[in-house]
Amino acid sequence: MLKIIHGADFHLDSPFSGLTPERAAQRRGEQRKLLNRLADLAREKRADLVLLAGDLLDSERVFRETAQALSSALASIPCPVFIAPGNHDFYGPRSVWTALDWPENVHIFDDLERVDLPGCTLWGRAFSDPHQAACPLEGIHVPDDGKLHLAVLHGNVGAAESNYGPIPPEEIAASGLDYLALGHVHQASGLQREGKTFWAYPGCPEGRGFDETGEKGVLYVEAEPGHVTARFVPLAKVRYEIFSVDITGPEGALSNILEVLPGRTRDLICRLILTGEGEAPDLATLELMLSPEFYGLTIIDRTRLPQDLWARREEDALTGLFLQAMWEKCQAAPDDPVCQLAARYGLAALEGGEAP
């Protein structure tokens, strides 16, 4: 049985454009610590192989500190490490993969290559351009010889029109591989199977935005001919989460928010979406109270005006006319938060300007 750590899509040196420059620099530094946790996991599991399926780097432009951290962490892994560069960190004459001298235990794939190892045969290839229309499995058809056959590739399963290495499921089955270690999709897939071939995406090891919420990490895989198991191992320290909080009721927004939140929030970059019916919450005060308990916090108001307030649209006054017009717009687009906000702001402006 071969013990494998399968990771992908670290996207080191991401710009984190949604954060302040200071916080973005901090997040890039924290990303580099993922590499040490990867090395620690390989040692803990006594891994035989580490397979990294592309997009370790976010682009060709790499900070010197990042390249040094990557080289140092990979060198500390006590087993061979195989890297198949992806569309973000493609293999080319100006890439970091050719510009630096990498540790002896690190093998970086370029063109399709087969490597014979104790206990298995491993295939791999790199992207040589940001886009690739050809299936990365082309040329990989292994014999049914009872041996363990693996591949590490970057590509897009089931997306026939993709420019990022489209992989038809039937090609996975036709390859004859025992395990296909993939990168590109940032959501962990769980262990999948086509024909006799098991395959998986580990997802990214740490989220970079609210489209990458929840636990992130790598896979610990145990493989032998004809049989593969995979277990997800969390690696991220900071994660993105979105919580929807209904503030309807007498308790108030703060009480309802605290009921929804998990016990520990210091490692969360959180988006709170306030829903329900009631008076407009004081977002500035809520953020001031809650922000120290989070790594990052954004509060979005999507609440609705109280139903009894809409009754005032029958008033024979400017406020009534305004509420009648807004009522019709809100009924036409009940899920549009802009209508609710417009009604709130307009009402506040009218009420503030009217004589008592």
Side-chain angles (χ1 to χ4, degrees):
M1 179 183 67
L2 213 63
K3 293 181 287 186
I4 302 164
I5 305 297
H6 170 198
D9 297 286
F10 282 63
H11 286 273
L12 300 173
D13 285 346
S14 290
F16 292 103
S17 53
L19 302 177
T20 65
E22 295 77 15
R23 184 53 66 89
Q26 180 180 342
R27 292 291 291 119
R28 285 192 292 271
E30 290 168 346
Q31 269 193 318
R32 296 173 194 134
K33 296 177 182 178
L34 285 169
L35 301 169
N36 294 327
R37 294 199 286 277
L38 175 73
D40 290 342
L41 180 65
R43 288 190 289 270
E44 175 192 333
K45 297 297 185 182
R46 297 183 178 180
D48 299 301
L49 293 175
V50 171
L51 304 180
L52 300 176
D55 286 359
L56 269 69
L57 304 164
D58 194 58
S59 71
E60 283 187 294
R61 300 181 64 182
V62 182
F63 287 98
R64 180 170 54 87
E65 296 88 345
T66 301
Q68 291 173 340
L70 178 58
S71 181
S72 176
L74 296 181
S76 72
I77 294 176
C79 69
V81 178
F82 291 87
I83 299 172
N87 57 291
H88 277 262
D89 59 355
F90 61 92
Y91 192 102
R94 296 173 55 193
S95 74
V96 70
W97 307 124
T98 54
L100 299 182
D101 292 326
W102 293 94
E104 290 185 1
N105 66 318
V106 175
H107 184 97
I108 300 165
F109 288 106
D110 179 7
D111 293 328
L112 179 63
E113 183 181 354
R114 166 181 166 167
V115 180
D116 292 308
L117 298 165
C120 76
T121 297
L122 175 66
W123 297 80
R125 72 168 7 124
F127 270 59
S128 59
D129 189 83
H131 299 97
Q132 177 177 303
C135 173
L137 275 169
E138 279 186 4
I140 302 178
H141 298 284
V142 304
D144 187 8
D145 56 7
K147 298 179 181 178
L148 182 63
H149 297 280
L150 312 171
V152 54
L153 299 169
H154 198 81
N156 201 347
V157 174
E161 304 301 320
S162 173
N163 286 321
Y164 303 107
I167 303 176
E170 59 270 20
E171 290 297 320
I172 297 177
S175 72
L177 294 163
D178 291 288
Y179 182 65
L180 173 57
L182 288 170
H184 184 65
V185 175
H186 290 192
Q187 182 64 41
S189 66
L191 191 62
Q192 307 291 315
R193 189 171 184 174
E194 293 291 339
K196 62 160 282 192
T197 301
F198 293 90
W199 63 273
Y201 288 106
C204 54
E206 187 165 280
R208 298 174 297 151
F210 288 107
D211 57 341
E212 297 175 351
T213 58
E215 291 281 13
K216 300 295 179 183
V218 297
L219 292 175
Y220 170 63
V221 178
E222 293 183 348
E224 57 188 2
H227 182 68
V228 176
T229 62
R231 181 167 64 85
F232 177 79
V233 182
L235 214 61
K237 291 296 184 183
V238 176
R239 71 182 195 274
Y240 286 79
E241 295 289 0
I242 300 173
F243 296 100
S244 183
V245 183
D246 188 336
I247 67 169
T248 305
E251 296 84 1
L254 181 60
S255 177
N256 290 20
I257 289 170
L258 294 177
E259 283 188 11
V260 168
L261 294 177
R264 178 175 173 80
T265 58
R266 291 294 179 93
D267 294 331
L268 293 184
I269 300 175
C270 186
R271 177 182 290 167
L272 290 177
I273 301 175
L274 306 185
T275 65
E277 182 181 301
E279 296 297 329
D282 186 341
L283 298 187
T285 299
L286 282 174
E287 287 197 9
L288 186 64
M289 295 174 63
L290 293 172
S291 288
E293 301 302 317
F294 291 84
Y295 189 100
L297 176 65
T298 304
I299 303 179
I300 298 175
D301 180 13
R302 291 186 181 165
T303 58
R304 303 183 303 276
L305 286 168
Q307 285 298 316
D308 57 359
L309 187 145
W310 286 113
R312 294 183 57 193
R313 72 185 187 277
E314 304 298 333
E315 293 179 4
D316 186 16
L318 185 57
T319 297
L321 292 172
F322 171 75
L323 286 174
Q324 178 61 41
M326 293 309 303
W327 167 261
E328 293 171 359
K329 290 183 180 295
C330 289
Q331 291 301 299
D335 297 323
D336 185 356
V338 174
C339 288
Q340 294 289 331
L341 287 174
R344 287 190 188 280
Y345 289 139
L347 184 63
L350 286 170
E351 298 285 271
E354 289 181 348

